[in-house]
Structure formats: C-alpha cells, structure tokens
Amino acid sequence: MRNQQPLSLHIPVPHARPGETPDFSYLTFPEAGATRRPDSLTPEAQMRDLPYSLIRVLAEDGRAVGPWDQHLSPDILHRALRAMLLTRLFDDRMFTAHHQGKTSFYMKSTGEEATAVAPSLALLPGDMCFPTYRMVGFLMARDYKLANLVNQIFANAGDPMRGRQLPLLYSAREYGFYTLAGNVGSRFGHAVGWAMASAYRHDDRIAMAFVGDGTTAEGSFHEAMVFASVYHAPAILCVTNNQWAISSYQGMAGGEETTFAARGIGYGLPGLRVDGNDVLAVYAATLWAAERARANHGATLIEFVTYRVAGHSSNDDPSRYRPSDEAGAWPLGDPIERLKAHLIAIGEWSEVLHEALATELREQVRAAAKAGEALGTHGQNPPPKHEMFDHVFKEPDWRNLEQRRESGADS
Amino acid sequence: MTEMSMIQAIHSALDVMLERDPDVLIFGEDVGYFGGVFRATEGLQAKYGATRCFDTPLSEGGIVSTAIGMGAYGLRPVVEIQFADYILPAYDQLVSEAARLRYRSGGEFWAPITVRAPYGGGIHGGQTHSASPEALFTHVAGLKTIIPATPYDAKGLLIAAIEEDDPVIFLEPKRLYNGPFDGRHDLPARPWTGHASAEVPEGYYKVALGSAAIRRPGQAVTVLAYGTMVHVALRAVEESGIDAEVIDLRSLVPLDIDTITASVNKTGRCVIVHEATRYSGFGAELSALVQERCFYRLEAQIIRVTGWDTPYPHAFEWDYFPSPQRVAEGLRRALEG
Ligand SMILES: Cc1ncc(C[n+]2csc(CCOP(=O)(O)OP(=O)(O)O)c2C)c(N)n1
Ligand SMILES: [Mg+2]
C-alpha cells in the first residue's frame, strides 16, 4: 500500500535553546538504591531491564543505599574526593591560563570528575584505560605529577610528549593511561584489541574505554562493540553521556530513540546505565563489569549519565546554543558536593576539613602552574627543535635526517 | 560588490545556492542551529528551515555516505566535515563510492556532492586540526579537488562546485578565513579589509573549476602554490625582490596545465610550495608534470618547499609551516641552479 500522506524529514530538536527554560524532563530515573544488582555472571538476556534504569547509590540525604553500595572504606572515599577536587581546581587554573595566553587550548571536565576518578580507583595495576580528553581525573586519582600535566599544556621543554600534541592529549603508560589523540572514537577498538591480547596471553588484565555521547555515532564505536561481543573481550566499554557534543544535544546521537546503555542489547552485551555524578555508583558499576570481565564473561557497556557544566573547550561559548542556566537545573547534582555530603553524613568529613583540603590542593596547583610558567608557557622554551623529527619511525629514515638538516634544527 | 572575508564569502555562496535551488541542502556536525564551529552556516537554518541546513550525528562516514545516497536520488548535498583532519572516517566512502559511482554504473548513478572541509595549519591546532590532506584526494580518479585562496574565488568556486555533477572536495584554508595570512606570524594579523579580492558580488557568479590565476606576473621563476601558501609566496617575493610569477592553482583537479606550462616555458624555473608533507605530496605530481612538459626549457632543478615528513607538530608550528623565508630561499636556489 502506498502512503496516504507525503513523507517528511524528521530533524531532532533539543528541549531548550538559549532564552528558553532548561528542561530535563526527558531524563526519568528511579530513587537511589532502587535498581537491582544481579550477580555479575548473569547472562545478558536476563538483565535487559538495566540499560533503561539508572544505578544510583547516594540518596538525597547523603546516605549510601541499596544493592550497589559496596561499603567502600573511608580511605577510598577520601582519595576520590581529593582527586575530584584537585581535578576541578586544576581545570579552573589551566582554563584561566588559556585566557592569559599561556596555553593554546584547554578543555574542562567540570561536573564529570566522578566518571574519571572512580574507574581509576577501581581498576587494578596492569589494567589499561583508553580515555577521552575529559579524563584528567583518572591521572589525578593516581598521583600523576602535576608538573607533567602543566608542562604538556604549556608545550615547554618539560613536556613528556615533546611538544607534539595539543594540550590535554596526554599519554601515561605507567599509569594505565593510553595515548590520546584529537580525533574522537578511534581508540575504542584499541581497547578491545588490548583486552583480546590479554586473553590470548592468558593474562588477567582488562581494558576500560570511554567515548562521549556524541562519539557513539562514529563507526569505530560500533566496530569495537561487535568485536568485543564476538570475542568476549575482557573490556569495559563506557559512554560518558554529558548531554552535549559541542552544540549538538544527545538526541543528535540517537539518545531520544533509546538509551546509550541499550546499544549493548543489539550486540548481546550487558548494558548498565549509571548515575555519573554519583561516585559510589560509578565505582560499583566499574567493579561489577571488571568482575565479569576477569571471570572471562566478556565485555560490558556502561553509560554514565552526567552533564558537561563547562563549554566544550576554550574556543566554545555554550550560551550560543543552550540556556545559560541549564547546568543549575541539572537534576543529578554535583559529584563533589554529593560525595562531600555523604562523608559528612557518615561522620568522616566536615566543612572545616573540606576547606582545608581545598586550600592545600589550590596551593599544590598554584605551585605546579608557577613552576611550569618558569620553565616556559606556550611558545616560549619549547623542546629542542630537532625532536620534531624523532619518533616518526623507530629509527629516522633518510628523509627525517635530511629535513632535520634542511630545517636548521641540527645547527 | 561588498567587502567580505573568506568565511563570509563561503557563507554567501551557501546562502545564494540555498535560495536558488531547492535541491541544495547542507548538513554536518554543529552546522545547523549553531552555524558551524567556524560560522560558515550561521543563520542559514533560521532562514531556510531545519530540513535545508541541519546537524548530523558525529560520524563523518555517515555524513558522506548519506550525502552520496541523496546525491544519487537527485539532490545536491553540501556537507561540512568540521576539520579536514576528520575526513578520514569518510575516506572509504569518498574513494570507493563517490569517486566510482558514475564509472561503475556506466553513467546510471552519480554523486553530485560537495564536501567542504577547513584545512591547513597556522592556528595552533596541533596534529588533528592542521592537516593538508589534498594529495589523498588528488590521487583518486573521479574526485575533483578545489582550494581557494581569496574571498572572491571561495564564493565563485564553491558555487561552481555545488553545481558540478561530480563529487568535489572543497578544502578551505582556515588560516585565510579572516585575513590574507602570509606566514608572518610575528606581525599583527591583517583582516581581508581593503584587499582587492575581498570585493565580492552579493549574488550568483561562478569561477570555473580548472582555471589557475596568475597572482603576480614575473619573468625570473614560476611559483606554483595554493591556499595559504599563495600569500606566503607573495610575501616571499616581496621580501626577496625576486621577479617571480606566482600562480594560484585554485583547482588541483582539474588542473590548469596550460597556464603552468606557459609560465615555466617562459621562466625556465619552478618552485612548488605546499604545507602538506613533501613525500608523495601534490608537489610531486606538479614536479613530474613540469618535468614532462617543460624539460627542454628548464634551466634549473625544480624546487619543493613543503611541510616536513612528520605529523603536524604542535609546539613547532612555525618551524614546520613553510615560511616566507624558506620560500625565498627556495627561489634563490631555483635561480642559482
Ligand atoms: C573524528 C572527529 N570528528 C570530529 C571531531 C570534532 N569534535 C571534537 S569533540 C566533538 C564532540 C564530541 O562530543 P562527545 O563525544 O559527546 O564528547 P564530549 O566533548 O561531550 O566529552 C567534535 C565533533 C573530532 N575531534 N574527531
Ligand atoms: Mg558529550
């Protein structure tokens, strides 16, 4: 039968644009503690409710509730709080440094710190994280030297990446942090390959990879999913759904047709949907998927639901495409405030201690920034020019050698 | 005539074509409501409606493959790849599909698509916001590759590209969007204001694909350049005082071979300048063509001034980017040879 009405092309439209009232009514979620926690070895077909629910541990009153509460030690919680706060203060300082012309570029992870910090604490040494550019929190939780970060951001002579990459595109193999690049999504398959290699060698390492909501549209996301599924790769594949991909809302990546966690169903991979601003929930979901992967039951897809509080990058002005008060209307709160409230509720923290910690970390960041500035900000004191020709190959070929001479880098 | 920057001229071309032809539609990452990260499509969604200019999922392969399908149906999609560096997920679609649709179907199907992409360096963009991938496209039979160097040409060439029935890769030198950057990063940036080729008609006009422009006539040596390097070469000529003939190729495929050979036959010397890596770069093709066609007139070796054969290095941008000084050095070598 032919259609009665002519067809029309559907173009998705977000719930609120500048000048309109922020509207998160599309985001419905259960109370903390309400989502069930099946055993981590449960067959995927028996867990198809989870991608449509939301795993939450921290309740409104700051208590940890429900089956996903792992009863983490105060020590781990303190480490998580410290790393998240350090990340936020560092981001603020470096963003300001960009305004002052000290670096060419910056991107903040404000509001999303829990999604980087909790996995960092939950993974084991030897595991590898394949991060996004918004995950410096992973390194903060592992006490990576701030000097390395600052020098990379300033592209000065102390930059471990030798001035080759845009700010933020770190690499820290010893810390389980895979090399970043500016093109999104392309490392999702590497994580699956890394995990397959661990299985091939009968090791016990797992891989954990991240992409943004927007990036799930890339072919590389889907390719990685099918390989992870087919080979039962010991990998945790994560989507950090911060609601925006530059100016494009998550509906532009298909987020209005289904959840990102539900992308797992088509591949037969378990999908967990997690409150990304609840550090206890992020930690618990990571542990669950890690347990499953280490038991050789293959990969899990996790969606972390969070919000990109800052602009996309130092080049972006989000008030051009979303209501400027949207962050304030975000229903899942702030990850640092929520963990702080929890620690206070269980008698492990206080406002005074919090203020003291903030002062200590602010000073740490200030000292690192000052030291980096002394070594050189963007454009001053870069690494030696001849290093531009290193690492193209393991050994330079004749072109690298000739051009090094031609460029005057040898003299 | 109105004075326009290159980005305004590109915007104007898109505006004119949306107005003129209901089969023209524009899509790409962040191009709809927001108007694109470089603002090439600002206001076009509001003016023409969401189905004429819209955002896409973040998938270059998806953007180009759906454009090909629409093109085969009969539309004229103009798609934006946010940075040319990110065109590679769509490379298979361009090479195996867009470029061959007409050939393999015996002329039954074709893809009248235009793929716009800001390209090139000079903006502190590092490895993934600075690349010059033109040779990846010029190597493919069935693709046309265009690179404007002025606002006037950008508009006229883009309109011609949109009206082409074959797929066109339209690379926009993003360092030229707001001014004729000549490589002197130590001097304050100049806007297009007052530049002769920033005088742009408001309406419809075309600059034919396949025609080069002589930007400066000269007798001593021929310079072949495109994109930002046209302005760098002009600066080098000015600073060195060498009487060079500077040719802006504008169109790499189809190439204006006659203008090139006439010039080299006259000067007997040739310097080729591009930002892209040297090895297998478009300069290699130009060098071979000049050698094949002007061999008996050549009085010196052909010189290439290019980016080095490394990925684009963030902190070494101005050591990598061919400078007026390096181009002038190339001119002197061509005169000595
Ligand atoms: C292959 C590729 N295409 C386009 C871009 C330009 N780009 C950089 S980030 C971005 C949006 C990413 O959004 P999302 O995946 O949601 O991550 P988020 O920035 O929100 O963390 C785009 C389009 C890119 N870096 N790589
Ligand atoms: Mg996002």
Side-chain angles (χ1 to χ4, degrees):
Chain A
M1 196 186 80
R2 298 192 74 91
N3 41 344
Q4 302 301 301
Q5 296 273 321
L7 295 166
S8 64
L9 183 62
H10 171 67
I11 309 284
V13 178
H15 296 259
R17 285 295 194 188
E20 295 171 356
T21 310
D23 179 5
F24 289 113
S25 58
Y26 66 87
L27 196 73
T28 54
F29 48 87
E31 287 298 302
T35 303
R36 73 187 182 106
R37 183 183 184 280
D39 183 84
S40 65
L41 305 188
T42 308
E44 181 273 331
Q46 293 167 26
M47 300 188 288
R48 292 193 181 149
D49 51 325
L50 292 181
Y52 303 101
S53 189
L54 194 73
I55 295 167
R56 311 180 68 213
V57 175
L58 287 174
E60 293 291 324
D61 63 2
R63 299 276 151 187
V65 294
W68 289 90
D69 178 21
Q70 302 295 295
H71 306 285
L72 298 177
S73 69
D75 175 53
I76 297 238
L77 298 180
H78 284 139
R79 282 167 62 195
L81 185 68
R82 167 180 277 266
M84 290 198 292
L85 196 52
L86 180 59
T87 302
R88 185 159 304 174
L89 295 170
F90 184 80
D91 273 352
D92 287 344
R93 175 102 197 183
M94 289 297 117
F95 197 74
T96 308
H98 173 264
H99 283 305
Q100 297 166 337
K102 293 172 183 164
T103 173
S104 56
F105 183 71
Y106 201 73
M107 297 170 107
K108 304 215 290 188
S109 56
T110 311
E112 305 174 35
E113 294 90 346
T115 61
V117 164
S120 181
L121 295 171
L123 289 180
L124 297 178
D127 295 339
M128 184 61 79
C129 173
F130 295 73
T132 71
Y133 42 68
R134 248 184 255 289
M135 288 184 66
V136 72
F138 188 95
L139 292 170
M140 296 297 186
R142 294 182 172 204
D143 297 323
Y144 188 68
K145 276 208 285 201
L146 292 188
N148 283 345
L149 302 175
V150 172
N151 293 337
Q152 198 278 337
I153 291 163
F154 291 167
N156 65 24
D159 172 7
M161 271 95 256
R162 313 314 292 145
R164 302 214 183 107
Q165 284 254 56
L166 269 188
L168 304 172
L169 302 182
Y170 315 115
S171 180
R173 187 171 184 144
E174 293 282 289
Y175 291 77
F177 191 90
Y178 194 69
T179 171
L180 276 160
N183 42 337
V184 297
S186 316
R187 274 97 30 223
F188 223 51
H190 301 194
V192 173
W194 183 282
M196 288 166 63
S198 173
Y200 170 85
R201 285 236 186 115
H202 307 299
D203 291 338
D204 58 3
R205 297 172 180 158
I206 62 170
M208 186 164 187
F210 293 79
V211 289
D213 48 305
T215 303
T216 60
E218 290 283 2
S220 52
F221 171 80
H222 300 273
E223 291 158 6
M225 292 284 284
V226 76
F227 275 67
S229 165
V230 166
Y231 296 106
H232 295 194
I236 310 174
L237 302 175
C238 307
V239 177
T240 306
N241 175 8
N242 62 6
Q243 314 305 313
W244 290 95
I246 312 185
S247 75
S248 303
Y249 81 119
Q250 46 88 34
M252 219 49 248
E256 277 183 341
E257 311 298 324
T258 184
T259 69
F260 291 99
R263 292 263 185 263
I265 292 175
Y267 297 97
L269 294 178
L272 305 181
R273 190 157 166 269
V274 179
D275 178 343
N277 288 16
D278 175 341
V279 77
L280 300 193
V282 176
Y283 194 103
T286 306
L287 272 191
W288 186 95
E291 218 173 85
R292 186 176 176 92
R294 287 190 217 282
N296 224 21
H297 280 236
T300 300
L301 177 68
I302 305 181
E303 173 185 355
F304 293 119
V305 179
T306 182
Y307 184 76
R308 196 197 77 206
V309 173
H312 173 72
S313 75
S314 50
N315 297 330
D316 183 40
D317 172 9
S319 71
R320 297 184 88 123
Y321 53 77
R322 67 183 189 188
S324 45
D325 52 348
E326 202 184 67
W330 174 244
L332 296 175
D334 177 87
I336 297 179
E337 290 304 318
R338 285 175 70 188
L339 179 57
K340 177 184 158 194
H342 172 63
L343 280 164
I344 291 174
I346 62 172
E348 287 289 342
W349 202 238
S350 69
E351 291 291 348
V352 175
L353 285 172
H354 195 81
E355 205 33 62
L357 177 65
T359 307
E360 177 202 328
L361 296 178
R362 205 172 282 118
E363 175 51 31
Q364 212 175 306
V365 168
R366 197 193 65 86
K370 285 287 164 206
E373 286 168 22
L375 194 55
T377 56
H378 180 75
Q380 311 165 336
N381 192 28
K385 189 159 129 185
H386 66 81
E387 291 195 23
M388 166 169 52
F389 298 97
D390 295 348
H391 291 141
V392 178
F393 298 110
K394 188 175 177 191
E395 301 296 338
D397 77 359
W398 59 264
R399 294 174 295 165
N400 305 137
L401 296 174
E402 276 187 19
Q403 292 177 11
R404 214 167 83 172
R405 227 172 295 131
E406 191 183 334
S407 73
D410 281 352
S411 47
Chain B
M1 292 287 213
T2 314
E3 198 164 62
M4 294 189 200
S5 67
M6 186 182 283
I7 196 73
Q8 287 166 335
I10 288 164
H11 182 276
S12 174
L14 297 172
D15 193 355
V16 164
M17 291 311 291
L18 282 172
E19 175 85 54
R20 225 177 129 86
D21 183 352
D23 284 337
V24 169
L25 72 172
I26 296 173
F27 51 98
E29 294 158 17
D30 302 294
V31 309
Y33 181 87
F34 185 50
V37 297
F38 290 101
R39 328 240 32 92
T41 53
E42 186 160 28
L44 295 179
Q45 182 177 78
K47 186 166 175 187
Y48 295 98
T51 58
R52 303 291 309 280
C53 176
F54 54 86
D55 292 332
T56 62
L58 205 181
S59 168
E60 294 75 15
I63 292 168
V64 174
S65 60
T66 52
I68 294 170
M70 289 182 187
Y73 191 94
L75 303 183
R76 286 195 184 277
V78 183
V79 300
E80 175 176 300
I81 299 295
Q82 202 162 79
F83 287 86
D85 312 63
Y86 302 139
I87 207 167
L88 297 179
Y91 194 56
D92 182 46
Q93 284 298 322
L94 291 168
V95 175
S96 315
E97 298 296 334
R100 299 183 195 159
L101 215 54
R102 183 188 299 283
Y103 189 80
R104 74 171 186 236
S105 68
E108 270 196 351
F109 292 94
W110 62 97
I113 67 171
T114 304
V115 180
R116 296 180 39 242
Y119 95 105
I123 63 149
H124 303 302
Q127 240 156 77
T128 48
H129 305 89
S130 308
S132 296
E134 65 274 14
L136 297 180
F137 304 112
T138 59
H139 191 60
V140 178
L143 294 180
K144 298 191 169 173
T145 303
I146 305 301
I147 302 184
T150 67
Y152 181 90
D153 282 358
K155 179 170 176 181
L157 287 166
L158 182 53
I159 291 176
I162 295 170
E163 293 197 336
E164 265 291 309
D165 284 336
D166 288 313
V168 180
I169 312 294
F170 194 85
L171 298 174
E172 301 168 2
K174 58 177 149 344
R175 184 61 219 241
L176 297 184
Y177 274 159
N178 296 309
F181 180 66
D182 61 11
R184 289 297 302 270
H185 60 92
D186 51 328
L187 303 177
R190 277 179 303 137
W192 279 106
T193 322
H195 198 281
S197 54
E199 285 298 322
V200 179
E202 274 158 75
Y204 172 93
Y205 69 95
K206 291 203 270 191
V207 173
L209 308 188
S211 71
I214 297 175
R215 295 293 173 201
R216 183 197 184 278
Q219 302 298 323
V221 48
T222 298
V223 182
L224 303 180
Y226 47 90
T228 310
M229 286 302 132
V230 171
H231 302 276
V232 174
L234 289 169
R235 180 85 192 197
V237 169
E238 189 189 314
E239 289 182 358
S240 65
I242 293 168
D243 183 26
E245 180 145 293
V246 179
I247 298 181
D248 172 2
L249 297 179
R250 304 197 287 200
S251 175
L252 275 49
V253 179
L255 185 69
D256 185 351
I257 192 68
D258 294 340
T259 299
I260 296 171
T261 48
S263 177
V264 178
N265 281 336
K266 175 178 78 175
T267 63
R269 297 168 200 273
C270 182
V271 173
I272 297 160
V273 192
H274 60 61
E275 290 180 53
T277 47
R278 183 176 303 174
Y279 206 79
S280 299
F282 191 64
E285 181 60 39
L286 290 172
S287 176
L289 287 169
V290 168
Q291 186 274 141
E292 284 161 4
R293 284 152 201 261
C294 310
F295 183 71
Y296 293 104
R297 300 291 189 89
L298 277 175
E299 293 176 45
Q301 61 167 317
I302 299 165
I303 305 287
R304 286 184 286 168
V305 182
T306 66
W308 310 120
D309 288 309
T310 73
Y312 202 97
H314 179 60
F316 307 104
E317 177 138 50
W318 303 123
D319 299 308
Y320 184 91
F321 194 88
S323 60
Q325 196 190 343
R326 265 174 67 200
V327 175
E329 188 50 40
L331 294 174
R332 280 188 285 273
R333 278 173 56 212
L335 290 180
E336 282 158 14

